[in-house]
Amino acid sequence: MKRILALVLSAALMASAFSVLSGCSDNEGVAKTGEVVYVYNWGEYISNGDDGSMDVNAEFEKETGIEVKYLNFSSNEEMYAKIKNGTSMVDVIIPSDYMIAQLIRENMLEKLDFSNIPNYGNIDEKFRKPAFDPTGEYSVAYTWGCTAIFYDSRYVDAADVDETTWDLLWNEKYKGKILMFNNQRDAFGVAEAKLGYSLNTENPEELEACYQELVKQNPLVQGYYGDQIFDKMESGEAIIAPYYNGDMKMLMEGNENIKGYIPKGANTFIDSMCIPTCCQNKSAAEKYINFMCREDVALANAEYIGYASPISAVVDQLDEESTSEFFYPSDEKLAECEVFYQLSDETNTFLAEKWEALMNQTID
Amino acid sequence: MKKDSWIASPFMLWVVIFTVVPLAMVCWYAFTDSTGAFTLANIETIGTYWGYLKDSLVMGAVATVLCLLLGYPVAYVMSRASWVAQQTLMLLLMLPQWMNFLLRTYAWMTILENNGLINTLLGHIGIGPFHMINTKGAIILGMVYNFLPYMILPIYSVMEKIHKSLFEAANDLGANRVQTFRRVVLPLSLPGVITGITMVFVPSVSTFVISQMLGGGRNPLIGDVIERLFVGAAPNYNVGAALSLVLMVLILISMAVMKKFDDGEETGGLMM
């Protein structure tokens, strides 16, 4: 017995030792310049070398000799909290539209020097001067997408699926099998879209109606999650959930029965690369952004993460399945979607109070 | 002794930078508004969060009691076992701790899910499924699982030091096993129990990862509320800090009560 235990233990130790070693060896053979670029991005949002894909950060290190320190955040607000105090080591951030607007307003972003980002020319014209950065001086589009409803076609009746509305998330038949966003903005966004309101409404009566809608939905909801929605949908633990369209690609690899659609009023977003004022190495940051806009790198990222690329030359090289209407909604479809704007502090506080009240509805 | 106290200075510096200064910042935020002016308004809003505080304290207390009930006998058995058995048990206890806390909790999520490990196994023999995930029970289970070693270890280390001769003496004096336990082991192990309770209760009350993963966003604890106040969509560091401060004070009070109980027991033990 003891011998078996010792064997198991040593095997476990060896395994961990090897993974540590192989983790280090990735950086071998890089002619280091001693420069470092700190990149702060969403989780699972870059091609990382899995399944034969390009390891984008390693490739950047190899070509430039600049070491990449790569960090993840799971919400725009988390990212904001980290860079707000100005002492964090961050050179490149990739937040969403409304957060970029806020950062610009608060003078927290550096203007980019586009002569250092020649590959900016690859970015399609329509992504260059978005509403959140009207002069286009602060941001370079990285990906774009929409919120969508995902469902497991094994368990959800095709007759219950109406691709124009959000009603599936309120369908009593699937009580306990429905997931919901655990961040107030996205969750209220779903209710606003369902009721036909603007996703940026600050009208207290409309927001109250949305709250009532979420209260109505609450008993049907299995749980409120962020990234865990992915795992729960993949494993079949839940069968209906709102999520972001680009994740469908990876999700289908784990569960081929997952289908999705973008209902009316969905949120459409652009995540863009920016340089915060707390940046320590602006030239390295611009090199990194330039690298990410290079066609082969952008293609590797688009293939790996599944979100829509703002570079037509990249889109043209993707297979048909990856460029379907679901991943690249048409302009007509997008006309029905809405971009988030930064809400006033009063509205955010109001929503936060409502959100606490919703979370406190016990249904055990 | 005094002459050598400088050797602790690196640690003292550490404590100042990473405990005293942050604590001072929490206090500063708790008693100021967004413009930096002094205010008691943050403390006054705490009332609206009382439900969360109460829930967290109750669930933390339940988890602590369960850890004590589970951990105390284990610690006792371990302390009386042979050296080899002690080392083996210790290893088995510590082994899961080598794995990341988040992963361990994530694993419980897949174990407790409706399509999870337990329900799948039970399904094969025609029982269930039982609804376990996203309940208060699941959160408490997560707390017990994650923090149990912090209950066992201090009790074990105290019990291990109880000298064998004390048992022999009790035996000689005609005490049976129950009496020996009540009069010798129990009083001598109390300092370990107090430490264990502190080490389980404090992280249980303030956790937010466990309640998010195993509670599915339902039954939020005070830790969830504090987290949202710092990194949510409507951040309010001032109220967040005030809540943290109140939580800290509540924990300190419960610790002080425990300590009193401990002292009382010790004098009681001497009188016996």
Side-chain angles (χ1 to χ4, degrees):
Chain A
M1 184 60 203
K2 234 174 86 188
R3 196 169 292 171
I4 294 174
L5 187 71
L7 265 174
V8 170
L9 264 181
S10 45
L13 278 174
M14 296 277 274
S16 57
F18 274 122
S19 60
V20 169
L21 282 177
S22 63
C24 294
S25 67
D26 282 350
N27 293 339
E28 267 172 31
V30 174
K32 284 203 181 134
T33 58
E35 280 187 84
V36 177
V37 61
Y38 290 85
V39 179
Y40 201 27
N41 191 6
W42 298 87
E44 293 281 346
Y45 216 42
I46 192 167
S47 177
N48 64 2
D50 283 355
D51 306 327
S53 60
M54 179 197 280
D55 185 340
V56 168
N57 285 336
E59 191 64 27
F60 178 76
E61 291 182 342
K62 206 155 80 186
E63 288 183 22
T64 61
I66 300 169
E67 190 186 348
V68 179
K69 298 258 191 206
Y70 190 73
L71 303 158
N72 287 155
F73 56 84
S74 59
S75 73
N76 284 303
E77 288 71 25
E78 184 189 336
M79 185 283 306
Y80 177 79
K82 186 170 160 114
I83 66 165
K84 193 186 172 195
N85 59 23
T87 54
S88 304
M89 303 272 263
V90 184
D91 298 313
V92 178
I93 51 173
I94 313 187
S96 311
D97 33 49
Y98 72 94
M99 182 52 71
I100 294 171
Q102 183 182 347
L103 293 172
I104 293 173
R105 208 174 51 223
E106 298 183 10
N107 292 319
M108 286 167 69
L109 293 184
E110 293 276 341
K111 282 190 182 175
L112 303 174
D113 181 351
F114 287 97
S115 60
N116 295 329
I117 313 176
N119 292 335
Y120 184 66
N122 291 339
I123 306 280
D124 292 359
E125 198 63 49
K126 67 173 178 177
F127 293 101
R128 291 199 187 180
K129 283 180 182 165
F132 58 86
D133 178 13
T135 57
E137 291 167 291
Y138 295 95
S139 63
V140 174
Y142 179 57
T143 53
W144 63 280
C146 295
T147 48
I149 291 181
F150 287 26
Y151 66 96
D152 193 321
S153 57
R154 282 174 299 180
Y155 309 112
V156 176
D157 239 326
D160 294 325
V161 177
D162 174 359
E163 299 209 352
T164 60
T165 72
W166 296 83
D167 294 347
L168 193 56
L169 290 168
W170 271 261
N171 191 327
E172 306 234 346
K173 203 164 134 189
Y174 304 107
K175 182 176 178 177
K177 296 279 184 189
I178 299 170
L179 301 181
M180 195 59 184
F181 286 126
N182 74 348
N183 73 77
Q184 61 185 54
R185 188 78 204 257
D186 277 333
F188 269 88
V190 168
E192 283 155 1
K194 179 172 190 274
L195 296 176
Y197 301 143
S198 160
L199 302 184
N200 299 302
T201 180
E202 307 220 22
N203 177 339
E205 279 163 35
E206 291 184 353
L207 292 174
E208 178 63 33
C210 292
Y211 169 67
Q212 292 306 334
E213 207 60 34
L214 293 173
V215 169
K216 221 190 311 170
Q217 184 200 28
N218 183 278
L220 312 177
V221 174
Q222 186 185 89
Y224 295 84
Y225 296 104
D227 295 344
Q228 286 107 327
I229 289 178
F230 189 99
D231 296 326
K232 301 231 172 213
M233 288 299 289
E234 188 178 32
S235 71
E237 176 71 10
I239 61 175
I240 301 169
Y243 211 44
Y244 312 103
N245 65 341
D247 278 292
M248 175 64 85
K249 192 170 179 198
M250 268 193 245
L251 194 49
M252 279 191 315
E253 285 168 20
N255 182 348
E256 55 186 12
N257 304 296
I258 301 288
K259 288 194 162 64
Y261 54 93
I262 300 170
K264 250 194 194 125
N267 168 228
T268 177
F269 55 86
I270 301 177
D271 292 340
S272 300
M273 299 177 276
C274 308
I275 301 181
T277 46
C278 60
C279 120
Q280 307 278 318
N281 189 344
K282 193 174 174 216
S283 99
E286 284 170 342
K287 273 184 198 153
Y288 189 84
I289 293 176
N290 188 50
F291 182 76
M292 294 289 261
C293 295
R294 210 173 73 189
E295 207 176 299
D296 60 326
V297 176
L299 179 65
N301 280 331
E303 281 177 341
Y304 183 82
I305 63 181
Y307 281 87
S309 167
I311 302 176
S312 320
V314 164
V315 181
D316 294 342
Q317 293 175 57
L318 293 170
D319 59 42
E320 211 172 298
E321 203 185 326
S322 312
T323 53
S324 67
E325 171 79 11
F326 184 73
F327 291 107
Y328 287 83
S330 63
D331 289 346
E332 297 86 73
K333 184 93 211 169
L334 282 174
E336 298 171 2
C337 298
E338 200 178 349
V339 180
F340 278 155
Y341 292 115
Q342 187 61 26
L343 302 173
S344 68
D345 288 348
E346 292 76 46
T347 304
N348 272 329
T349 308
F350 179 78
L351 289 180
E353 282 164 14
K354 289 289 171 194
W355 184 253
E356 292 301 341
L358 180 71
M359 290 296 103
N360 228 4
Q361 307 261 328
T362 40
I363 53 125
D364 261 357
Chain B
M1 197 63 184
K2 186 101 194 196
K3 207 172 58 189
D4 289 336
S5 61
W6 63 269
I7 55 173
S9 55
F11 178 69
M12 293 315 287
L13 187 69
W14 178 271
V15 166
V16 168
I17 296 175
F18 294 107
T19 308
V20 178
V21 171
L23 212 55
M25 283 168 72
V26 168
C27 292
W28 189 77
Y29 272 116
F31 290 105
T32 53
D33 60 18
S34 52
T35 62
F38 176 81
T39 176
L40 286 174
N42 303 318
I43 304 290
E44 281 158 14
T45 58
I46 299 301
T48 56
Y49 298 102
W50 175 241
Y52 296 100
L53 266 170
K54 200 187 68 195
D55 274 6
S56 305
L57 290 169
V58 167
M59 287 169 76
V62 171
T64 310
V65 169
L66 286 174
C67 277
L68 185 59
L69 290 176
L70 285 169
Y72 195 90
V74 175
Y76 178 71
V77 169
M78 247 170 94
S79 70
R80 297 294 115 206
S82 72
W83 188 83
V84 174
Q86 282 191 31
Q87 295 305 310
T88 313
L89 282 169
M90 178 69 86
L91 193 65
L92 288 174
L93 188 66
M94 294 312 295
L95 207 55
Q97 303 292 316
W98 297 354
M99 203 168 71
N100 182 284
F101 169 78
L102 285 175
L103 286 178
R104 271 183 279 146
T105 311
Y106 218 101
W108 269 110
M109 197 162 94
T110 58
I111 294 172
L112 297 177
E113 279 177 350
N114 298 325
N115 293 343
L117 194 66
I118 295 180
N119 277 324
T120 310
L121 288 177
L122 288 178
H124 285 308
I125 51 172
I127 315 174
F130 295 102
H131 177 62
M132 293 174 285
I133 192 83
N134 301 349
T135 59
K136 283 197 164 84
I139 299 176
I140 291 173
L141 175 75
M143 291 173 178
V144 171
Y145 174 77
N146 277 308
F147 304 131
L148 185 59
Y150 303 117
M151 179 65 82
I152 297 177
L153 289 178
I155 301 178
Y156 161 73
S157 65
V158 171
M159 280 187 174
E160 196 211 358
K161 292 192 185 71
I162 302 177
H163 202 271
K164 234 171 88 183
S165 59
L166 284 178
F167 289 87
E168 289 164 3
N171 235 336
D172 281 352
L173 294 170
N176 62 24
R177 285 179 64 179
V178 176
Q179 284 169 320
T180 309
F181 176 77
R182 216 166 51 85
R183 298 242 178 131
V184 179
V185 181
L186 191 60
L188 286 174
S189 66
L190 273 182
V193 171
I194 302 298
T195 311
I197 289 177
T198 314
M199 288 175 74
V200 171
F201 185 65
V202 174
S204 296
V205 169
S206 52
T207 185
F208 58 89
V209 172
I210 297 175
S211 52
Q212 276 167 17
M213 286 195 183
L214 303 179
R218 300 185 180 285
N219 315 301
L221 300 179
I222 195 70
D224 295 290
V225 179
I226 294 174
E227 194 217 4
R228 278 200 281 273
L229 283 168
F230 280 95
V231 298
N236 189 333
Y237 288 13
N238 305 100
V239 173
L243 258 182
S244 311
L245 200 63
V246 168
L247 182 62
M248 251 186 293
V249 170
L250 282 176
I251 289 173
L252 282 175
I253 290 172
S254 23
M255 290 304 116
V257 171
M258 283 303 302
K259 194 88 188 108
K260 262 257 148 7
F261 174 72
D262 179 29
D263 295 345
E265 279 293 310
E266 254 167 42
T267 41
L270 278 177
M271 280 196 294
M272 275 201 280

